[in-house]
Amino acid sequence: MKKILAILLPVIVLVVLGGGGSLLLNSLKPPVERAEEQPRGLSVFAEAAEATSLELKVNAQGEVRPKRQIVVAPQISGRVSFVSPDFVDGGFIRQGQVLVRLESADYELAVVRAKSGVASAQQRLARERAEAELALQDIEELGIEDTSPLARREPQLAEAEASLDSAKAQLADAQLALNRTAVTAPFSGRVRERTADLGQFVSPGQSLGTIFATDVVEVSLPLSDEELGRTGLPLAFQESEQQRGPKVVFSASVAGEPREWVGRVKRTSAAINPQTRLINVIAELDDPYGAGSDNGVPMAPGLFVNAAIDGRSVDSVVKIPRSALRGVDQVFIGDGPAGELHIRTVDVVYSTEDGAYVRSGVAPGELAIISPIQAAFDGMKIQVVERMPDGSLEPRTPRTTSMSSDSEEGSAQVASEGEGAPQ
């Protein structure tokens, strides 16, 4: 028994001393401060709104058509005896150029007959004048004072004068018909198509082909009422020296290359289209085959073009990113220092891929949130990171911490502060 006690007593003493020392050390250890991070909101990107002015644009599409286009047709009948080599599809023609000539033999004979009729009428008139003078002499010699017009041969003289006028009219008509055997171009331009050829017999009014003028082409651009208001044009607009039409930039792909032409709005159509409820704005381009061409490439009739119309100017607007616009008229604004989201209703003036322009609801310098947010509400806690114009990122919401005990947990919290920030 004494041997057992001799062995256990030192062990018991060591255990008691060790446990007591451990408790004493723990009681004397100062408490460790613990860093507790406040609950963090959703990290979002935002861009600053900026004050600017706006030049409105209206985009439309339309088909190019010549301002003047006619069907070439003869005013008389006859067989085609000549066709100009320029009177072909795509040919260039000049004003006054003979396009088609008809056989003129019959009309030349008609002129000869008419001239003969004039000569006969002139001879008859001369005879009647001589006879009228003789009748007046006889009346004077006989001393007759009260004579009838018939005795003075006045009706016969009037008839002879009328016959001469009729003969001259027939001569003019025959000469006119002879002149009309040559069908000439009333203006300079190009030939769209030709429908008659050498040797063909044609009737008055029959189509010989179609030509159009190349001095001006026009494009009819359908606009809605809102788009018309953006251009600043009245409903009944006609360009004048005092009121010039807005500039229009036409664009299209020709032979696989993009081309541009610059014209102007000249007028609006007389009425609103009852089917589409749109109004047509007529834009024109001068000299499309010359000075108005794009490096020699004309804006040819039949080409389908896009048109960008210069609209009115709007001052004192605020530009925000297009992706910041939520729905029709809402924007999420990030309050960086407070770390809160605010929902604003804005008055949108115009929006493009480059940005949205608002008249009210957002002040210059405020941060418009561009990140997608699910179930957003006013006052929602967020972490705002501003995207700068050069692409760099700047955090705008400060991070706050409170101190508590537990050294190991505090170290873990501090180490996790960088998690969840937007990249």
Side-chain angles (χ1 to χ4, degrees), residues 141-202:
E141 291 176 356
L142 294 175
I144 302 174
E145 295 180 355
D146 187 13
T147 58
S148 66
L150 188 61
R152 297 191 297 270
R153 300 192 67 83
E154 291 178 358
Q156 295 87 332
L157 183 59
E159 182 183 8
E161 291 175 346
S163 297
L164 178 59
D165 291 339
S166 177
K168 289 181 177 179
Q170 291 178 2
L171 175 60
D173 183 65
Q175 188 64 54
L176 184 61
L178 177 61
N179 294 337
R180 286 174 175 172
T181 58
V183 181
T184 60
F187 48 73
S188 298
R190 298 195 70 180
V191 180
R192 170 159 278 183
E193 63 175 349
R194 190 184 75 187
T195 56
D197 212 337
L198 192 66
Q200 181 177 347
F201 185 88
V202 294

Side-chain angles (χ1 to χ4, degrees), residues 336-361:
E340 294 181 348
L341 179 147
H342 299 290
I343 301 176
R344 304 275 185 84
T345 300
V346 296
D347 180 12
V348 180
V349 178
Y350 186 59
S351 66
T352 64
E353 295 179 356
D354 297 331
Y357 300 84
V358 300
R359 187 178 285 111
S360 62

Side-chain angles (χ1 to χ4, degrees), residues 351-387:
S351 66
T352 64
E353 295 179 356
D354 297 331
Y357 300 84
V358 300
R359 187 178 285 111
S360 62
V362 180
E366 289 189 312
L367 299 177
I369 298 173
I370 59 176
S371 299
I373 301 178
Q374 297 286 340
F377 57 91
D378 199 77
M380 178 180 180
K381 291 297 181 180
I382 55 174
Q383 296 282 324
V384 182
V385 178
E386 182 181 357
R387 178 176 289 166

Side-chain angles (χ1 to χ4, degrees), residues 85-98:
D86 296 328
F87 190 47
V88 291
D89 188 5
F92 287 87
I93 56 175
R94 303 178 308 277
Q95 183 177 6
Q97 180 181 357
V98 176

Side-chain angles (χ1 to χ4, degrees), residues 44-318:
V44 296
F45 290 121
E47 293 184 11
E50 59 178 328
T52 184
S53 59
L54 175 62
E55 297 290 336
L56 294 176
K57 294 280 187 182
V58 176
N59 297 316
Q61 295 177 323
E63 182 181 353
V64 181
R65 64 189 184 191
K67 189 174 183 179
R68 290 186 295 169
Q69 177 173 295
I70 63 168
V71 174
V72 179
Q75 294 178 274
I76 59 173
S77 61
R79 191 176 303 277
V80 177
S81 62
F82 168 80
V83 176
S84 171
D86 296 328
F87 190 47
V88 291
D89 188 5
F92 287 87
I93 56 175
R94 303 178 308 277
Q95 183 177 6
Q97 180 181 357
V98 176
L99 303 179
V100 173
R101 192 183 298 277
L102 305 181
E103 290 181 348
S104 59
D106 294 340
Y107 300 98
E108 291 173 351
L109 293 175
V111 170
V112 173
R113 287 194 295 269
K115 288 181 178 180
S116 175
V118 170
S120 298
Q122 289 174 339
Q123 187 271 338
R124 180 182 176 187
L125 177 61
R127 185 176 64 249
E128 287 295 336
R129 283 174 177 170
E131 291 181 358
E133 291 177 358
L134 291 175
L136 290 176
Q137 291 177 3
D138 292 341
I139 292 173
E140 290 177 358
E141 291 176 356
L142 294 175
I144 302 174
E145 295 180 355
D146 187 13
T147 58
S148 66
L150 188 61
R152 297 191 297 270
R153 300 192 67 83
E154 291 178 358
Q156 295 87 332
L157 183 59
E159 182 183 8
E161 291 175 346
S163 297
L164 178 59
D165 291 339
S166 177
K168 289 181 177 179
Q170 291 178 2
L171 175 60
D173 183 65
Q175 188 64 54
L176 184 61
L178 177 61
N179 294 337
R180 286 174 175 172
T181 58
V183 181
T184 60
F187 48 73
S188 298
R190 298 195 70 180
V191 180
R192 170 159 278 183
E193 63 175 349
R194 190 184 75 187
T195 56
D197 212 337
L198 192 66
Q200 181 177 347
F201 185 88
V202 294
S203 302
Q206 181 178 339
S207 173
L208 303 177
T210 304
I211 61 174
F212 62 88
T214 55
D215 55 345
V216 180
V217 292
E218 61 182 21
V219 183
S220 181
L221 303 170
L223 301 182
S224 65
D225 183 69
E226 178 185 356
E227 291 172 332
L228 185 66
R230 247 187 273 153
T231 64
L233 294 173
L235 189 61
F237 172 75
Q238 177 71 44
E239 187 182 52
S240 62
E241 292 295 333
Q242 293 74 27
Q243 187 178 16
R244 301 286 290 173
K247 183 180 75 172
V248 182
V249 178
F250 302 103
S251 61
S253 178
V254 180
E257 295 186 11
R259 298 291 182 178
E260 287 189 351
W261 306 270
V262 180
R264 303 192 73 84
V265 171
K266 295 295 183 178
R267 63 190 185 279
T268 58
S269 59
I272 297 174
N273 189 310
Q275 281 76 36
T276 62
R277 310 308 303 168
L278 301 177
I279 185 167
N280 290 332
V281 171
I282 313 301
E284 295 182 359
L285 173 66
D286 294 332
D287 196 9
Y289 288 85
S293 65
D294 181 5
N295 293 326
V297 178
M299 193 171 80
L303 190 65
F304 195 77
V305 296
N306 299 312
I309 308 172
D310 283 353
R312 56 189 177 88
S313 299
V314 181
D315 298 327
S316 302
V317 293
V318 177

